[in-house]
Amino acid sequence: MKKITTKIAILMVLAGLLPGCTKFLDQTPNGVLSSDQVKEPERLLTATYAALGNDHYDVPFSLWPYGTVRSDDAYKGGSGPQDIQTFHFLEVSNNITTNFAELDKLWFQLYVAISRANTTIKTIQEMDNFDGKEEKLGEARFLRGHFYFMLKILFKYVPYIDENVPVDSYETVSNRALSNDALWQKIVADFQYAVDHLPAVQTEVGRANRIAAAAYLAKAYLYKGYRQDNAERNMVTGIDAGDLEKVVQNTDIVLSSNHTLETDFAFNFLPGKYENGTEALFSVQFSKDDGTKFGRVNFSDVLSVPMGVGCCDFNKPSQSLVNAFRTTGKGLPLDNYNALNSFNTSEKYDPRLFHTVAIPGLPYKYSSKRTYEESWNRNPAEYAVYASLKENVDPDCDCFVPMVPFYANTKNRIVLRFADVLLMRAEALIELHRSIEALPLINQVRTRAKNSTSLTGYANDKTLIETYKNGDNIVWTEENARKALRWERRLELAMENGRFFDLVRWGIADQAMNAYYDVEKSRRSYYSSAHFTADRNEYLPIPEAQIRLSKYLYKQNPGY
């Protein structure tokens, strides 16, 4: 896949449209594909895979402003509230308008990616049968499902355009043509096709395979299963058991594969030999030394580098998140967890804290040569003194790419990992009233966390974690199981940009966020007017520019 993402990106609209009339014009220019080349499935797939990394720091496909900063896990960071002010308004759930340029660009870029997938699918479908035809269609449909999944969790109602919709008919497709459930079903269908037609193992690293497709299909069914009230409300009114059974069936496929948890939590977030490891089911591939100036870098997360080693100190773990890792004397999460206003060395914490959050006085990315300091923070008065670790690398790594004023890296970004699958399965089992079956799954994740100390010996005296033992340190009722599962997702997947979408799926975003704001108002002055409005703030507004382009066919989300 390193090769896939570094090949020339195809200009889908222009390639092959200009016929030549002289020997000079008959020559194929560098970087432009002929009409015959555009029909080659491998080149089309390359362009579609390339779209995974065709984003920007203010249009990040990692979704950090939308899944993490918009939740209780992180502060926006940067120089202050006016630094990418759109993300500030998302952080405080206030002053969100329909004309934010960042939202319009995100919508546009995701549909560009979908257009590449549709072009690939349609072209392959129209070709005579060839070896691997259905497999290549499976890859393209997996990628289309991925991009539509992102649009769905961001905007809820989006126009569904597939390979069968002519370009001149795009403006006739409403974003309300499909119901909430029907739109999920379209996404499910793409992943189901991929499960049915992809091999379990690909010869080239980074390509979607059957295991990744099953994991994503399970994820789509999990979201689909939480039924929301109606077109104008986002309240969860029930959970569909049939969809949850599909989660169980598809996670079976993943659990029956050769994938498993890494022996140490840290290994998921390190470069080089650790990339595409046993826990990574699907990752966006990055590279360097590929003939381009900087290489194929992760531009999604370039802003999260702390000032002590680069720029620009965005996406900073919240005090609430640091406190969430506190544990009781029995090594379990605390109920009254959010009482502290700083990291306390006399407390005990879940070991995953030290892999997730950079804390002053401790090594940065496990380096014995570099200590993270308060002075590395750009605006500690507004955004406290922590930094995000998972997406960052040790600056001594050859994967660290200075492109001043920014400092990027070429470490892969995991989209789906095995731990997430374990927790998705546990969640489905709990909501199917089979909570006892979820206990060993959650404990599997916690056991790995307990053993994840090989690189954090400097913090071992500050860690304490135990598994759940029914009848000993917990009574494993369905209610307690649900609480444990939701807590485990927050800790295991912290700063991986899914927290807000979890809260929305569970139907508790307004409760969780307003409770968070009530505490944060005493810590950060800019939270003084923060308030989450139910049936509005769960989703982003449909960009006004897109509504105008549709000649007002698109309907705006409620509350905007």
Side-chain angles (χ1 to χ4, degrees):
M1 181 62 181
K2 292 285 185 183
K3 295 179 181 178
I4 291 176
T5 54
T6 56
K7 291 177 182 175
I8 297 171
I10 298 173
L11 298 176
M12 290 294 203
V13 178
L14 298 180
L17 294 185
L18 299 176
C21 56
T22 69
K23 288 186 177 180
F24 174 77
L25 292 179
D26 283 341
Q27 295 180 20
T28 302
N30 291 331
V32 178
L33 300 180
S34 69
S35 57
D36 288 337
Q37 287 174 319
V38 167
K39 294 178 182 179
E40 294 180 18
E42 194 55 48
R43 294 178 183 270
L44 292 168
L45 270 176
T46 295
T48 311
Y49 274 106
L52 292 166
N54 285 355
D55 53 356
H56 195 251
Y57 64 74
D58 62 346
V59 191
F61 283 177
S62 68
L63 302 185
W64 65 264
Y66 308 101
T68 296
V69 167
R70 206 165 157 213
S71 78
D72 48 1
D73 275 3
Y75 308 128
K76 175 185 73 69
S79 64
Q82 292 184 331
D83 198 352
I84 313 187
Q85 193 172 43
T86 292
F87 297 165
H88 164 72
F89 291 142
L90 293 175
E91 179 185 359
V92 297
S93 301
N94 205 349
N95 294 317
I96 299 172
T97 66
T98 63
N99 61 357
F100 286 158
E102 290 83 359
L103 305 189
D104 183 48
K105 288 188 287 186
L106 182 59
W107 176 290
F108 175 78
Q109 285 299 107
L110 288 170
Y111 272 107
V112 168
I114 288 167
S115 176
R116 291 189 179 194
N118 283 339
T119 300
T120 302
I121 292 166
K122 186 172 181 61
T123 303
I124 294 175
Q125 286 176 338
E126 292 174 348
M127 297 175 70
D128 293 335
N129 287 334
F130 61 89
D131 288 343
K133 180 176 182 177
E134 290 185 337
E135 180 180 322
K136 293 189 185 303
L137 282 173
E139 288 185 72
R141 291 190 66 171
F142 174 94
L143 293 168
R144 182 173 67 182
H146 166 70
F147 292 118
Y148 266 122
F149 185 95
M150 293 168 69
L151 279 165
K152 184 74 179 71
I153 61 176
L154 289 165
F155 297 100
K156 187 175 182 178
Y157 290 107
V158 297
Y160 189 83
I161 297 169
D162 64 15
E163 75 280 9
N164 298 312
V165 180
V167 174
D168 57 5
S169 297
Y170 283 2
E171 63 182 20
T172 68
V173 181
S174 169
N175 70 322
R176 295 296 183 94
L178 297 176
S179 67
N180 183 51
D181 186 62
L183 186 51
W184 275 123
Q185 189 58 47
K186 289 288 189 181
I187 297 169
V188 160
D190 272 346
F191 291 130
Q192 184 65 66
Y193 187 93
V195 170
D196 293 341
H197 295 95
L198 289 179
V201 178
Q202 292 276 19
T203 56
E204 192 169 12
V205 173
R207 288 184 179 273
N209 60 29
R210 183 172 186 260
I211 310 307
Y216 225 143
L217 180 56
K219 187 173 184 178
Y221 268 120
L222 186 61
Y223 275 78
K224 180 177 180 291
Y226 287 80
R227 300 305 169 89
Q228 295 185 350
D229 196 1
N230 56 46
E232 301 307 318
R233 300 190 66 192
N234 303 322
M235 180 188 303
V236 174
T237 56
I239 308 176
D240 186 85
D243 288 340
L244 297 185
E245 291 288 358
K246 293 290 187 181
V247 176
V248 175
Q249 291 172 20
N250 283 285
T251 54
D252 262 337
I253 296 173
V254 182
L255 269 60
S256 299
S257 72
N258 292 327
H259 286 277
T260 186
L261 294 176
E262 292 281 4
T263 55
D264 193 302
F265 184 72
F267 298 163
N268 289 295
F269 313 107
L270 291 173
K273 66 180 182 180
Y274 297 100
E275 295 175 278
N276 301 309
T278 185
E279 189 165 342
L281 304 176
F282 186 72
S283 303
V284 180
Q285 309 288 311
F286 299 106
S287 63
K288 64 176 300 186
D289 300 329
D290 55 11
T292 61
K293 184 175 181 180
F294 294 112
R296 185 67 159 171
V297 301
N298 174 9
F299 225 69
S300 262
D301 302 310
V302 72
L303 295 182
S304 69
V305 181
M307 301 304 289
V309 293
C311 177
C312 295
D313 205 34
F314 278 77
N315 196 25
K316 296 174 68 61
S318 68
Q319 186 61 52
S320 173
L321 177 61
V322 172
N323 287 341
F325 286 95
R326 295 171 64 203
T327 57
T328 67
K330 294 184 177 182
L332 301 185
L334 279 169
D335 285 328
N336 184 27
Y337 74 97
N338 201 17
L340 301 182
N341 289 323
S342 63
F343 173 75
N344 190 325
T345 56
S346 65
E347 294 278 317
K348 296 295 184 183
Y349 294 86
D350 185 308
R352 287 170 289 190
L353 170 66
F354 304 102
H355 302 284
T356 305
V357 180
I359 297 171
L362 297 180
Y364 179 72
K365 286 301 289 190
Y366 319 113
S367 173
S368 60
K369 298 185 295 183
R370 189 173 282 106
T371 300
Y372 178 77
E373 303 290 353
E374 286 193 23
S375 61
W376 291 21
N377 290 273
R378 193 174 177 186
N379 186 349
E382 296 280 5
Y383 299 121
V385 296
Y386 309 115
S388 182
L389 284 176
K390 289 181 176 178
E391 70 273 36
N392 282 311
V393 299
D394 185 335
D396 290 333
C397 176
D398 63 1
C399 61
F400 188 67
V401 184
M403 40 197 306
V404 180
F406 304 115
Y407 294 77
N409 71 69
T410 59
K411 177 171 68 70
N412 292 350
R413 184 175 69 246
I414 297 177
V415 175
L416 291 165
R417 61 184 178 94
F418 191 81
D420 193 4
V421 172
L422 290 175
L423 296 177
M424 287 191 289
R425 182 179 178 86
E427 182 176 339
L429 290 169
I430 290 167
E431 301 306 337
L432 285 169
H433 313 297
R434 297 159 57 184
S435 59
I436 197 64
E437 296 175 59
L439 178 57
L441 299 171
I442 296 172
N443 276 342
Q444 190 175 341
V445 175
R446 290 183 66 80
T447 298
R448 195 270 298 275
K450 184 176 181 178
N451 295 332
S452 297
T453 58
S454 63
L455 299 178
T456 56
Y458 48 81
N460 286 353
D461 62 330
K462 305 174 185 65
T463 64
L464 179 64
I465 183 174
E466 293 296 340
T467 58
Y468 292 104
K469 300 178 178 63
N470 188 21
D472 181 3
N473 58 14
I474 193 172
V475 178
W476 196 253
T477 62
E478 185 171 302
E479 180 181 359
N480 285 340
R482 182 179 297 110
K483 180 179 178 181
L485 176 280
R486 293 180 177 183
W487 204 262
E488 203 63 29
R489 284 195 67 84
R490 186 181 189 188
L491 301 183
E492 175 69 20
L493 304 170
M495 305 302 292
E496 294 181 50
N497 310 319
R499 169 67 173 171
F500 181 80
F501 307 120
D502 280 349
L503 296 176
V504 172
R505 181 176 77 253
W506 297 327
I508 62 170
D510 59 327
Q511 303 167 41
M513 292 309 300
N514 285 325
Y516 169 70
Y517 291 152
D518 286 345
V519 176
E520 285 299 321
K521 288 174 182 178
S522 66
R523 293 174 175 156
R524 322 253 83 86
S525 60
Y526 68 86
Y527 276 109
S528 60
S529 61
H531 180 76
F532 190 99
T533 301
D535 294 326
R536 179 182 190 268
N537 291 132
E538 291 90 351
Y539 296 96
L540 300 171
I542 307 300
E544 180 63 29
Q546 299 301 323
I547 292 178
R548 290 198 304 270
L549 286 170
S550 77
K551 300 177 182 178
Y552 296 91
L553 176 65
Y554 296 169
K555 186 175 181 180
Q556 185 55 268
N557 283 332
Y560 294 105

